[in-house]
């Protein structure tokens, strides 16, 4: 008796692993690579993947033009061409009806090779409909073996799998964040908690949907809750809904508005937000997980380790944070930015790179930009600071940072970049902005607020972000500085997200980024 052959696999797409090639490099006299590559960068995928229909890219080609794809994330506009490093066929999972193979429900192909971003001929940022278009759905369904469901909510593409693939996982698919899960209901968005429509609405004179400048809406919400004497700690604006964070669990929800400016209001509680406690002191002898780059560099730049003097209470402890950028104020003075809380008053005003004692004194902290946790450092005349990022395997050339950019100039899903001594180069996606209340012990004083950004950094990213990276600059692919790292919750509803101080806070005070191109 002859056995029936196994069913033929059907190739539904081709995956090309590519490495963008920088054609016009900055003229630098020396290498801009880190001396030590932190673990987070070293273990992240270095390449991007292009997924097309089989045969679309001629097999004889060994390179491909960026212009063939709509705004590909992770492929710098400075690299017009990418080298094709590897080709992999993606096969459709096929049901096996033959009784001889009844123990095999499906025949799944091998896992795709790791990539940071999955690029397609379509861009879901332009039309977010991955499950309604048969062609898109067919390709997305077969990226990972064992896919049993596809979903989307306007923010993420969700792939439900029988088993999760080996890490690392891609950050984006067709320009939007990707989320892999096993069970329905798992997602990284804060839960929608509306209140009864009977509660009424506020700010009906405004149209709150997708506002370019939503500060008037925030002020209306802030004033309303102040009149109600209900303390709130944050207002997030998602374009078609606002999320309001209540300070206390025992708040009477019957008094909360269900709508503001004709869009819905959802609610969270402060104890769900996972905000960090105060920065901990460090010792030179402390273990350093993640292989941080604590090297001492001759020229200062974004993403270097800085530290306070030793704490008076202990001759061996100090506070560690990260350099930001070089700014200029309205009268021409230049300052390096650092995280203010990393330089407590009892430590004095000296700033060291990389550590006190064995490092060098690079300048003096002269002031804090109120309510921002950004402090300004006047560098010594012997110090030079260059607003240029590090080069790495994932950045084909260093990026000359251009300017401070307002949050309104950054579309949703824009790629944001960080490079700290603790993580090296990492990426996320800007999702929305918020106003956060500044904690105060004086409840009788008027509440101060600060403008912030929320970026999604990828699944299981939370543990990559130690508190010492506070002060790191956050920039776009084009080199625009969008803000500065504040914290990344390690638990709670916003785990795997990153909060940054919006650059608007400095722009509104008259600060600009120094052009250091001629100082390299």
């Amino acid at each position: 008796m002859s056995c029936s052959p196994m069913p033929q696999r059907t190739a539904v797409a081709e995956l090309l692993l590519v490495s963008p090639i920088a054609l016009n490099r900055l003229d630098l006299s020396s290498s801009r690579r880190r001396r030590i590559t932190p673990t987070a960068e070293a273990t992240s995928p270095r390449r991007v993947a292009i997924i097309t229909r089989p045969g679309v890219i001629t097999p004889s080609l060994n390179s491909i033009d960026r212009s063939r794809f709509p705004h590909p994330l992770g492929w710098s506009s400075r690299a017009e061409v990418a080298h094709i490093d590897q080709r992999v066929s993606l096969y459709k999972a096929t049901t096996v009806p033959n009784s001889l193979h009844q123990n095999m429900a499906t025949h799944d192909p091998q896992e795709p090779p790791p990539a940071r971003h999955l690029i397609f001929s379509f861009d879901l940022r332009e039309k977010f409909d991955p499950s309604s278009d048969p062609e898109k759905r067919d390709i997305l369904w077969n990226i990972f073996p064992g896919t049993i469901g596809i979903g989307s909510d306007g923010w993420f593409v969700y792939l439900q799998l029988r088993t999760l693939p080996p890490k690392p996982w891609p950050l984006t698919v067709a320009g939007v964040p990707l989320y892999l899960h096993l069970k329905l209901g798992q997602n990284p968005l804060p839960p929608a908690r509306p209140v009864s429509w009977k509660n009424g609405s506020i700010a009906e004179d405004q149209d709150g949907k997708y506002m370019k400048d939503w500060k008037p809406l925030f002020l209306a919400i802030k004033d309303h809750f102040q009149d109600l004497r209900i303390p709130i700690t944050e207002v997030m604006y998602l374009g078609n809904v606002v999320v309001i964070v209540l300070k206390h669990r025992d708040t009477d929800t019957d008094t909360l508005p269900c709508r503001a400016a004709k869009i819905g209001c959802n609610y969270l509680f402060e104890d769900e937000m996972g905000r960090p406690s105060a920065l901990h002191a460090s010792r030179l002898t402390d273990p350093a997980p993640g292989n941080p780059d604590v090297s001492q560099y001759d020229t200062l730049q974004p993403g270097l380790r800085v530290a306070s003097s030793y704490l008076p209470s202990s001759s061996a402890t100090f506070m560690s944070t990260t350099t930001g950028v070089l700014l200029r104020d309205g009268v021409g003075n230049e300052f390096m930015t650092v995280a203010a809380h990393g330089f407590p008053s009892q430590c004095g005003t000296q700033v060291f790179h990389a550590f006190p004692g064995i490092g060098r004194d690079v300048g003096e902290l002269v002031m804090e930009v109120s309510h921002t946790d950004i402090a300004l450092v006047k560098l010594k005349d012997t110090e030079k600071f260059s607003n240029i990022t590090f080069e790495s395997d994932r950045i084909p050339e260093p990026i000359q940072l251009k300017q401070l950019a307002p949050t309104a100039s950054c579309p949703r899903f824009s790629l944001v970049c960080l490079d700290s001594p603790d993580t090296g180069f990492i990426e996320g996606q800007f999702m929305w902005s918020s106003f956060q209340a500044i904690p105060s012990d004086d409840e009788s004083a008027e509440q101060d607020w600060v403008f912030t950004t929320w970026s999604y950094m990828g699944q299981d990213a939370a543990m990559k972000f130690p508190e010492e990276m506070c002060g790191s600059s956050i920039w776009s692919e084009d080199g625009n500085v969008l803000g500065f790292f504040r914290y990344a919750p390690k638990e709670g509803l916003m785990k795997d997200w990153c909060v940054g101080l919006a650059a608007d806070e400095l722009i509104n005070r008259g600060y600009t980024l120094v052009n250091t191109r001629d100082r390299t």
Side-chain angles (χ1 to χ4, degrees), residues 471-498:
S472 301
S473 54
I474 302 172
W475 71 89
S476 69
E477 286 186 289
D478 296 327
N480 293 321
V481 177
L482 304 170
F484 301 87
F485 180 89
R486 284 173 69 85
Y487 65 90
K490 290 182 169 55
E491 58 184 6
L493 297 177
M494 303 307 294
K495 180 183 175 183
D496 298 331
W497 294 72
C498 158

Side-chain angles (χ1 to χ4, degrees), residues 297-443:
Y297 291 84
D298 294 335
T299 299
L300 299 172
Q301 68 176 87
L304 300 183
R305 174 64 73 237
V306 285
S308 70
S309 297
Y310 290 113
L311 291 162
S313 58
S314 172
S315 60
T317 60
F318 54 91
M319 311 294 276
S320 291
T321 50
T322 301
T323 58
V325 296
L326 191 68
L327 295 181
R328 180 178 289 122
D329 67 13
V331 295
N333 298 310
E334 295 183 2
F335 304 99
M336 179 181 76
T337 65
V338 294
H341 70 264
F343 298 87
S345 58
Q346 63 266 36
C347 290
T349 59
Q350 282 182 294
V351 178
F352 293 90
H353 167 60
F355 299 114
I358 63 172
R360 71 178 189 268
D361 180 354
V362 298
E364 181 181 12
L365 191 147
V366 295
M367 65 172 290
E368 179 180 353
V369 182
S370 57
H371 311 311
T372 65
D373 194 38
I374 294 294
L376 304 180
V377 177
K378 184 64 176 176
L379 295 174
K380 291 181 175 294
D381 293 339
T382 53
E383 295 295 334
K384 184 171 71 171
F385 191 106
S386 182
N387 280 325
I388 294 180
T389 68
F390 280 108
E391 178 184 354
S392 72
D393 290 336
R394 290 190 286 163
I395 304 179
E397 63 169 334
I399 297 173
Q400 174 73 57
L401 300 179
K402 298 176 182 176
Q403 62 183 347
L404 298 178
T407 302
S409 68
C410 186
R412 182 176 64 162
F413 302 135
S414 294
L415 201 66
V416 295
C417 308
L418 278 160
D419 197 335
S420 79
D422 307 283
T423 61
F425 177 80
I426 53 175
E427 297 168 311
Q429 282 187 284
F430 168 75
M431 302 295 269
W432 60 70
S433 58
S434 77
F435 283 92
Q436 290 189 5
I438 304 299
S440 173
D441 295 330
D442 185 1
E443 295 188 1

Side-chain angles (χ1 to χ4, degrees), residues 153-298:
D153 55 13
W155 293 94
F156 290 80
V157 167
Y158 299 92
L159 296 183
Q160 185 182 5
L161 310 177
R162 287 198 302 271
T163 58
L164 294 175
K167 295 178 182 177
W169 301 334
L171 174 64
T172 68
V173 54
V176 301
L178 173 66
Y179 191 82
L180 306 180
H181 63 108
L182 298 175
K183 299 178 181 179
L184 290 176
Q186 294 177 324
N187 71 76
L189 284 172
R193 290 186 188 145
V195 294
S196 172
W197 63 270
K198 297 179 181 179
N199 289 15
S201 61
I202 62 173
E204 294 183 337
D205 59 323
Q206 299 184 39
D207 184 358
K209 201 164 189 179
Y210 300 109
M211 302 172 79
K212 193 75 171 177
D213 175 13
W214 68 279
K215 188 173 183 179
L217 172 56
F218 161 70
L219 293 175
I221 293 172
K222 176 182 73 72
D223 291 345
H224 180 77
F225 278 83
Q226 185 173 315
D227 292 342
L228 291 177
R229 297 184 180 277
I230 295 177
I232 59 176
T233 59
E234 186 167 5
V235 180
M236 303 178 185
Y237 180 68
L238 279 63
N240 60 352
V241 67
V242 289
V243 178
I244 301 169
V245 182
L246 304 169
K247 187 173 183 179
H248 302 303
R249 282 268 177 181
D250 59 358
T251 300
D252 182 2
T253 58
D254 290 338
T255 63
L256 306 178
C258 71
R259 293 175 67 81
K262 305 181 181 67
I263 62 175
C265 297
N266 290 336
Y267 294 90
L268 301 175
F269 294 107
E270 175 60 25
D271 60 14
E272 300 175 299
M273 299 302 292
R275 304 193 206 276
S277 58
L279 182 67
H280 297 99
S282 303
R283 290 181 174 85
L284 289 174
T285 55
D286 286 346
N291 194 34
D293 179 16
V294 293
S295 308
Q296 188 173 152
Y297 291 84
D298 294 335

